[in-house]
Amino acid sequence: MPSKPAPTDAKTVKQVEKLRAELRRHEHLYYVMDAPEVSDAEYDRLMLELKALEAAHPELVTPDSPTQRVGGKPKEGFQKLAHSRPMLSLDNAYNEGELRDWDRRVHELSGSAKVAYVCELKLDGMSLALWYREGALKKGITRGDGSTGEDVTTNVRTIRSIPLSVSSETAKKSKLGGDFEVRGEVIMPIASFTRMNDEREQQGLSKFANPRNAAAGTIRTLEPNVVAQRRLDYFSYFALTPDGTEAFPTHSEALKALTAAGFKVNPNHRYVENIDDVWAFINEWEAKRDKLPYEIDGIVIKVDSIRLQRELGFTGKAPRWAIAYKYAARAGETIIEDILVQVGRTGKLTPVAALKPVFIGGTTVSRATLHNLDEIERLGVKIGDWVVVERGGDVIPKVVRVIDDKKHPRGTKTFRMPAKCPECGGHVVRTEGEADHRCINAACPAKLRESILHFTSRGVMNIEGMGESLVNQLADRGLVKNVADIFDLTEDKLLSLERIGKKSAKNVLDEIEAAKQLPLERVIFGLGIRMVGERTAEFLAEHFGSMDALAAANEEELLQVNEVGPRIAASIREFFEEPANIKLLERLRKAGLNFKGEKKERGTQLAEKTFVITGTLPTYSRDEAKKMIEDAGGRTSGSVSKKTDFVLAGTEAGSKLDKARELGITVIDEAELLKMLKN
Ligand code: IVH
């Protein structure tokens, strides 16, 4: 069935190479340098152009092409692979004394009076080795037991900060050459972690405990598509030759070469000449670590000279030439004095542990989330229990387990979810199949406060200055009864409140004015529609191009939007069917908020045609095919029915294909779809 590929001419070859070079450059700028030059849309356009050319000329596809990040899945789990040399762990120092002892030993054993070190952040992830041959990424291997790891290459390829290839020119310039090994850390940034957990919560899946578990779990999943969506990152810290020896005479030179070759090296490292400067670095980062977008659990200190490293050698499992200074664990033990219930903006009731205050990693913690009733049951927590509480980067403190031993008597009082909302007395319900209890009173004041705080928060309308204290006052005095009231605030109204002067009133009003410039997706996100997070709001804005089109969309139309399933579609419809919300929207429109966005231009090649995609396609992922169909005016659906016009089938297509045959629906393959798109 596939159409015959078009003959390849020199011009096409050139164009393909040009596109690849451009895409690689943009990937490096975006994922490694954090300094993009073009919009995501422009990047996507280049990528689609390259994909189309490669699909028409399959013989031009190379494994290091930027289109080849997501490939087939590893069939039966991962193969075991021996490391070029063991991936060891590090000895730890927990205080200044232990650190200085180590420095003394380094001096004694090496017989050197002067030893220079490199201090690096100890990234809380999972170490990973990358093998490059002739400039191309050949293998990505987990640490495993240190001597043997697992071949997770298919997943590693989806991490955009890992180059799929290093050009011979760059390899030469950086002095890395074409055959080398890189070792470093895979991490999941806190933002990706929270987003992923939010999405998992919405989908009713269990959440990951912390970014390290999430990174380690993700790199070992058997679905490269899933890995690609989870946004992992990779920081390199060793450059080795293929036999596992150091490629450079000093560690700092290795870091420079890795940077020059396009690898991401954590910029927060420092070359120092004595242990006092090491100690200063440790203290600096202890104070700043909460501001990092990823988690660290300490500082790694490495002897800079490789000659000295060799002289110092290894103990059983760790090098003598490096040590990990571990920051005090950000966990503490305390007693649960009570379990309170908080009401969120969607009416969700969250049980919160009221703790006997405990000092954890620089702050006093007196509250910790217990998420929901299922979590309380999973932990087996009772009021009066001793528990371990953990605090991560941006994450709210949480109860991780109950302590059950002789010293810590168990609590006796079982928590019960209230039948009435603790804020308004409204009915509390738990929908079948959902973990959460909710207050269903639309006028619940707690919902109001939370929905305003959500609307004004940084990722949404970004109205700085409208924090908790101001919002509480505005809500209590009835000055703000919904988010539209924010735009009717005046200097006089603000000045009538406590602790607000002329200057801060003006600032708040300026910020409110500025919010009117924000794009449509922020406004959609700000409405606080249940299950519509930041990402879904983006997809909706892009798909419908205006608030009006979104408000008018029926369930079927909503289901065509990326990542919108029946539950989200129903929640959106519910929102726009509520007359109070329609009134609110009209006021927001009058206030001058952005109700128009940029709708993605759609073709008409597939207008009015409904597709069902099934199985694995040879070049495109299902999401990409869906996008291409929709961009061409077609529709996609998840199930085959009489209304289906085409079933797009790849390999391993199952029951949907059978159903299509049964109903006599035309089955096409990827090549045929591409042909239809061209016409
Ligand atoms: S060096 C033999 N550098 O910490 C040298 N490790 O506790 C071992 N880690 O397994 C690795 N950041 O997963 C090194 N800048 C860094 C690191 C780092 C995080 C992890 C790595 C290692 C573990 C040892």
Side-chain angles (χ1 to χ4, degrees), residues 175-226:
K175 303 211 187 77
L176 259 180
D179 297 341
F180 57 90
E181 176 174 344
V182 175
R183 287 185 180 180
E185 200 84 355
V186 183
I187 57 146
M188 185 178 283
I190 295 168
S192 315
F193 170 73
T194 349
R195 197 183 71 195
M196 180 192 75
N197 263 353
D198 286 351
E199 280 166 14
R200 288 178 74 84
E201 187 168 29
Q202 283 181 8
Q203 292 159 3
L205 300 170
S206 67
K207 300 206 275 180
F208 282 101
N210 53 48
R212 176 171 27 85
N213 287 3
T218 301
I219 205 72
R220 297 188 67 254
T221 52
L222 289 165
E223 284 289 345
N225 262 315
V226 170

Side-chain angles (χ1 to χ4, degrees), residues 88-90 120-123 127 185 237-238 300 302 319:
L88 299 174
S89 67
L90 294 169
E120 291 170 9
L121 303 184
K122 187 167 188 301
L123 306 155
S127 53
E185 200 84 355
Y237 46 70
F238 284 131
V300 180
K302 299 170 181 169

Side-chain angles (χ1 to χ4, degrees), residues 380-660:
V381 163
K382 288 190 171 157
I383 298 166
D385 272 342
W386 277 85
V387 288
V388 174
V389 177
E390 250 180 32
R391 196 171 73 83
D394 264 341
V395 198
I396 319 161
K398 61 178 180 197
V399 174
V400 288
R401 70 184 167 84
V402 173
I403 309 171
D404 190 1
D405 59 24
K406 286 202 195 89
K407 261 184 21 212
H408 302 92
R410 286 295 311 264
T412 48
K413 205 167 148 208
T414 307
F415 168 79
R416 275 189 219 300
M417 201 48 109
K420 295 237 152 79
C421 172
E423 292 274 352
C424 71
H427 277 295
V428 169
V429 297
R430 179 185 196 166
T431 314
E432 273 283 310
E434 279 191 31
D436 300 330
H437 288 73
R438 292 177 195 285
C439 163
I440 52 169
N441 172 16
C444 174
K447 284 197 205 173
L448 168 66
R449 270 199 313 272
E450 292 297 321
S451 67
I452 295 169
L453 279 171
H454 166 73
F455 189 81
T456 58
S457 66
R458 179 154 339 138
V460 192
M461 286 285 128
N462 198 21
I463 306 177
E464 225 174 294
M466 271 189 83
E468 220 160 307
S469 116
L470 183 57
V471 169
N472 280 346
Q473 289 196 62
L474 289 168
D476 290 349
R477 306 241 184 141
L479 287 174
V480 171
K481 293 194 218 60
N482 56 47
V483 295
D485 288 343
I486 294 173
F487 298 93
D488 289 342
L489 285 175
T490 58
E491 193 186 67
D492 283 348
K493 285 186 191 170
L494 288 169
L495 286 176
S496 75
L497 304 173
E498 281 158 39
R499 291 184 303 276
I500 186 155
K502 265 202 152 124
K503 189 150 170 252
S504 36
K506 180 172 184 300
N507 281 346
V508 169
L509 291 173
D510 286 350
E511 301 244 0
I512 293 174
E513 203 47 42
K516 297 179 183 168
Q517 305 303 320
L518 292 171
L520 176 64
E521 58 262 31
R522 297 279 199 112
V523 185
I524 297 174
F525 183 30
L527 294 175
I529 306 171
R530 208 151 71 82
M531 291 189 266
V532 174
E534 188 175 359
R535 201 169 140 88
T536 309
E538 252 169 58
F539 286 135
L540 290 169
E542 191 177 279
H543 187 98
F544 292 105
S546 74
M547 187 69 87
D548 294 324
L550 169 63
N554 61 28
E555 190 144 340
E556 195 185 336
E557 287 161 332
L558 287 165
L559 284 171
Q560 290 177 24
V561 180
N562 216 349
E563 291 184 12
V564 173
R567 284 171 59 200
I568 301 181
S571 161
I572 297 172
R573 279 313 317 148
E574 205 176 286
F575 181 90
F576 288 108
E577 271 159 18
E578 168 61 50
N581 291 336
I582 300 301
K583 269 198 209 140
L584 183 87
L585 283 170
E586 278 324 304
R587 289 185 55 206
L588 291 177
R589 184 202 305 273
K590 279 216 188 88
L593 266 72
N594 233 329
F595 271 37
K596 277 218 156 7
E598 250 179 71
K599 188 171 160 141
K600 288 273 168 77
E601 265 307 310
R602 282 176 182 233
T604 51
Q605 305 96 300
L606 306 180
E608 302 304 311
K609 297 284 180 252
T610 300
F611 290 73
V612 171
I613 312 171
T614 177
T616 310
L617 303 175
T619 32
Y620 294 93
S621 71
R622 294 234 282 259
D623 276 350
E624 288 166 334
K626 184 172 149 91
K627 190 160 175 274
M628 291 183 344
I629 292 170
E630 289 172 3
D631 285 350
R635 286 197 206 121
T636 56
S637 158
S639 58
V640 180
S641 73
K642 271 187 256 163
K643 287 191 204 143
T644 311
D645 294 293
F646 299 98
V647 168
L648 170 61
T651 51
E652 285 165 55
S655 61
K656 289 183 190 170
L657 187 56
D658 299 339
K659 179 99 187 267

